[in-house]
Amino acid sequence: MRQYFTIFVLGLILAFSSCRTDFDTVASSGNLKFSKDTVYLDTVFKNIGSSTYQLKIYNQSKNDISIPIVQFKKGLDSKYRMTVDGMTGNNGKIFKDVTLLAKDSLYIFIETTADITDANPDDFLYTDEIQFDSGANLQEVALVTLIQDAVFLYPNQNPDGTKEKIKIDGKDVDGFYLNENDSANGNELLFTNEKPYVIYGYAGVPEFKTVTFEAGARVHFHANSGLYVGDNASLQINGTASTTDQLENEVIFEGDRLESLYSDIPGQWKSVIFSNGSANHAINHLTLKNAVIGLDLQSPYNTFEIKNTQIYNCAEYGILARDTHVIASNIVINYAGLASLSCIYGGNYNFTHCTFNNNWSSSSQVAVNLSNSLAGATPETNPLTNAIFNNCIIYGSATNEFNLDKNPNAPFVYQLNNCLLKFSSSTKDPNYQFKTDTEHYTNIILNENPKFYNVSQNKFNIDKTSAAFAKGDPVFMIPTDILGITRTSPPDLGAYQSQDFPK
């Protein structure tokens, strides 16, 4: 036993002595290396927390070092917060005696929540520095965040702590009705371009009222939020053509995360929903992105006029239309989990010079779906009185980008004139005889590449090498394209007039 005890004690001594070097540190000499000398936190709205940003610190010396202090220059008053290798320090602001082993690194994760009043009034930038050590050994990494002021619209809180609700399709959802005489915001039915708007929950348009969006208006929807146009209510989007890539005159609907990481993530907010009884809508120069369903249209008693509109990155549908009447031109839709355009339960539709593409990363999505039925509806079938596509492009990454769901118990009337269509599989189905079925198909260009400029960036411009170049019928020509450029005759197919791409 004495022999085993001696071996045990010797083992403890050896283990202890071998670990002691981990605790033998020298003071930092100011020679730390950083992954960045400035950390730019993307634009955030006032008082909304940012994403988390990363900074890596390197000790390239042969010694384990101790950094006496890591802190924000503004100390405990800083609007930034950080963790240092998982430690939270003093309120995420000040850390003392931070150990960094030889030839090793540590991570700092940084966030911010700031008000517009915290920012520099000249450029709306909020800045600070992370300081490492002090005196002669002081090293600093700059932090920069753009704070954007906004109008915030959200449901009120009831006395019992629950949120205000509105009814959509018979269900209570978190929401509120826009007030044209709001004590804080003034006329909430007029969205101007003076400040962006951030909406929490569903913003409802009251009965017999019209919500108007001026050119250049920016609307940001929080998660699970949207816009609801109720019975006898109307929507007018009055965007105009822009001259720069900033889309300065477009009306833009998107999520409320402004960081570049979120710029193309689908499903960040819900939808723009039009009730069955809504009326008198006009949409011009709208850019809508990253919703679940972009435009959810339902109203058999009304015509939706949609022009010069772009819809991208929707988790389910770009446009979902149910038993309604749509007249649309210069529409571009791409990236939708189910269909870029889905017209179901019948209706009456006319699309001219539109580009329906779907490059969603699966094999089950389509660019265009047409149906005259709806499971669970009463009755389950409804006449598709017209679905006309003139001078359009229907394309994408799947084998077949055009789907007809035809129920024989109701009329199903459709026609494609001078369209470029992707449908690669050979089939004897009489619905897809694009060359011989002259009742439904005229001058179809089948499975030829339109050569879009950059699909991944949602740029669907074409040039003279495109199979869509000068293949349109002048009878259906819309005089200007989605950018306001004059079309030539014969016109190109799709929403864009061809032009030379930048080199």
Side-chain angles (χ1 to χ4, degrees), residues 467-479:
F469 173 71
K471 295 299 194 301
D473 187 335
V475 171
F476 307 120
M477 185 171 73
I478 304 296

Side-chain angles (χ1 to χ4, degrees), residues 263-268 288-294 310-319 332-341 355-362 365-368 395-398 401 452 454-460:
S263 61
D264 295 313
I265 295 180
Q268 294 180 47
L288 185 156
K289 52 187 290 192
N290 304 336
V292 175
I293 299 174
Q310 307 171 69
I311 301 176
Y312 303 126
N313 306 321
C314 292
E316 295 181 4
Y317 302 98
I319 294 178
V332 181
I333 308 178
N334 186 36
Y335 285 118
L338 297 176
S340 293
L341 169 70
T355 299
F356 301 111
N357 193 78
N358 202 346
N359 269 64
W360 191 268
S361 56
S362 76
Q365 84 285 347
V366 294
V368 172
Y395 205 74
S397 58
E401 291 290 354
F452 298 126
N454 193 322
V455 172
S456 64
Q457 295 181 13
N458 292 319
K459 294 182 178 180
F460 290 92

